[in-house]
Amino acid sequence: MDAELMVHELRRAGFDPQWQRVDTEADFLAHLDQKLDIILADYSLPQFDAQRALEHLNQLGLDVPFIIVSGCIGEERAVECMKSGATDYLLKDRLTRLGQAVRKGLEERLLRDDRQRVEEQLAHNAFHDTLTGLPNRALFLDRAQRCFHQMERRGGYLFAVLSIDLDGFQTINASFGQPAGDKVLIEIAERLVQKVRSGDTVARLGGDEFALLLDDVKDMRNALRVAERLQAELAKPFLMDGREVLTSASVGIAASTSTYKRSADALRDAGTAMARAKRLGPGQIAVFDIRMHTQAVTRLKLETDLRRASDRQEFLLYYQPVVSLQSGRIAGFEALLRWQHPERGLISPGESLPVAEEIGLLIPIGQWVLQNALRQLRAWQVEFPVTPPLSMSVNLSCKQFLQSGELLTIVDETLKETGLDPRSLALEVTETVMMENAEAALATLAQLKDRHLRISIDDFGTGYSSLSYLQRLPIDNLKIDQSFVAEMKSAGESLEIVRSIITLAHSLGKQVIAEGVETGEQLALLRSLGCEYGQGFFFSKPLETEAAGKLIADARTW
């Protein structure tokens, strides 16, 4: 009778209940496997009561609104039931409140469900990448740390950490946009997961960098085989806007050793090995060894010092004279960058400039060289007026040359500031840069020649210039690479190569500068071949500003 009255009240409150009455503990437990919206219970049942029912719900971890409807429950017992998880309690003579109590219980449960979903999502996001759904760095490191504990407990247990970075992924983003790039990252994540065991962990660390934890590997050669398999999978084309796009991956491997104490150290070393693989070229694999860590620490310090070098005024310009072989007098200088490191002394461009390029400092350093070299040239022209005036050669990096807008702005501003005749400036670009970026090179050279600057091809003879392309280049000078000059004797292959270059240049209306002149014999041969200019230690080593000025003042001839 009580159950029917409650159902009546619920219908009167707008509910359409589907209900089942149970009278024993066994029946109650049997119905808990159903999806229940609410439980209405008398406090006292035959061999069973509401308190016992609440205990079962708590033990099973079920969140079902539980309302006690009783005619005999006292306030003390009611409070006890509420502490055990009851949602509400009603006296049977006040059933008109039942609909309101049920509605409140259901709403509170919905709020709890929503809160639980939010908390679960937040917990998931804290340890997973939002784009790919893969574990993130924090979860990866946690799982790797468990492998360390496993290694301590099990003799012979091995694992490996792989750092995986896509080669040239920025090009995909630049060409197709970030949404397309994100699709590629999602597909990469799926490919990686499909190619490893269920017990292994694939994580996305950020950007286009992924990591793989290989658990319980029998032999470290297995890690290499997995890396090769993953590279082959990632080398398969991706479909972008109906076009196939190819990419590759650089992989670094760090094997588990007893020297590791933290999972972050293993991941760091895998990243170090991956950076080494990238420097070897696209699609390479490198296995970490301790020398890499030493090199990475040294490299990091070099990067840090290089970033501060400009502010600390540690960059210097040295000047090596370029001598006219016809008059034997100094015709100009080549500006050469040096870095006066406070601890290591002079650091050569061969060590510092590749690092500067990788960390984005090459353009500002190149601008500094150009500006300061031209200012110094103007000061010398004023102090030592000769006809024709002294000139200055400045080397351009590939990035400087190809970013023609910035280059032209700096050239224009510096020429205007110094009042230099543009013909006093010679810009040097290597043969390789010219050939690998042929059309862009032609466009940039045309703009430079419009300003009446002189252009030299540096290290000529070491690249692969075609004669037809060489004819098209609006250049003024060919600089013979010093490797040919060094081997040049009165007879021999190098002499003939030098002769051929000079003949070719003259047939194209270009002048020739020979680099690396170190002996009187080389000078005599170059003069006999009609070479216009020479540069090298026979004349002078690169000099600081004051010494170079003194050399000009001495008016020496060779």
Side-chain angles (χ1 to χ4, degrees), residues 480-499 514-519 521-523 525-526 529:
I480 303 176
D481 186 72
Q482 59 185 345
S483 61
F484 299 118
V485 176
E487 298 297 323
M488 190 175 61
K489 297 181 176 62
S490 57
E493 187 175 294
S494 290
L495 176 62
E496 293 307 315
I497 291 174
V498 171
R499 187 196 308 275
E515 295 184 289
V517 181
E518 297 186 354
T519 68
E521 181 186 4
Q522 292 168 352
L523 175 58
L525 286 170
L526 289 167
L529 294 173

Side-chain angles (χ1 to χ4, degrees), residues 62-260:
L62 297 176
D63 182 16
V64 182
F66 191 99
I67 298 176
I68 300 171
V69 182
S70 178
C72 60
I73 188 172
E75 185 176 345
E76 185 176 337
R77 288 180 177 176
V79 170
E80 186 178 347
C81 288
M82 295 294 285
K83 288 180 178 179
S84 297
T87 307
D88 204 347
Y89 73 92
L90 302 173
L91 296 176
K92 290 182 180 179
D93 60 357
R94 297 181 181 176
L95 280 182
T96 52
R97 283 190 57 239
L98 182 62
Q100 179 183 351
V102 168
R103 184 168 285 108
K104 180 182 177 184
L106 293 174
E107 289 173 352
E108 289 178 349
R109 180 182 179 177
L110 286 174
L111 288 173
R112 287 196 301 274
D113 289 346
D114 288 344
R115 184 165 57 247
Q116 183 179 357
R117 279 193 293 270
V118 170
E119 289 173 352
E120 289 174 352
Q121 187 63 51
L122 289 173
H124 182 274
N125 290 348
F127 293 100
H128 291 81
D129 173 53
T130 54
L131 177 65
T132 63
L134 292 176
N136 63 9
R137 182 184 297 270
L139 183 54
F140 183 88
L141 291 175
D142 179 70
R143 292 182 179 176
Q145 197 65 44
R146 294 180 194 177
C147 290
F148 280 110
H149 298 326
Q150 185 81 335
M151 189 169 64
E152 292 172 356
R153 293 192 298 267
R154 280 177 51 192
Y157 173 83
L158 296 172
F159 67 94
V161 175
L162 279 66
S163 177
I164 305 164
D165 192 85
L166 300 183
D167 300 319
F169 178 73
Q170 294 82 355
T171 304
I172 294 176
N173 268 344
S175 302
F176 298 96
Q178 185 175 339
D182 287 347
K183 289 181 181 178
V184 171
L185 292 173
I186 292 169
E187 186 172 343
I188 285 169
E190 293 170 351
R191 291 189 189 185
L192 292 174
V193 170
Q194 290 169 3
K195 288 298 177 178
V196 299
R197 300 167 301 177
S198 59
D200 298 327
T201 298
V202 178
R204 180 179 177 227
L205 304 182
D208 58 345
E209 187 177 355
F210 294 81
L212 171 61
L213 176 62
L214 292 178
D215 182 31
D216 197 12
V217 295
K218 303 305 179 187
D219 188 305
M220 278 305 150
R221 286 174 294 184
N222 291 349
L224 278 169
R225 284 192 284 269
V226 170
E228 291 169 352
R229 187 166 70 239
L230 295 179
Q231 281 187 326
E233 183 65 25
L234 297 182
K236 295 177 182 177
F238 296 88
L239 197 61
M240 306 285 291
D241 296 337
R243 294 166 53 190
E244 287 189 345
V245 175
L246 297 176
T247 187
S248 60
S250 298
V251 181
I253 303 173
S256 57
T257 69
S258 58
T259 59
Y260 287 129

Side-chain angles (χ1 to χ4, degrees), residues 254-284:
S256 57
T257 69
S258 58
T259 59
Y260 287 129
K261 301 301 180 186
R262 302 184 311 143
S263 55
D265 295 338
L267 182 58
R268 175 204 64 202
D269 289 348
T272 299
M274 181 272 292
R276 173 68 180 275
K278 268 196 172 304
R279 287 195 290 272
L280 294 175
Q284 299 295 317

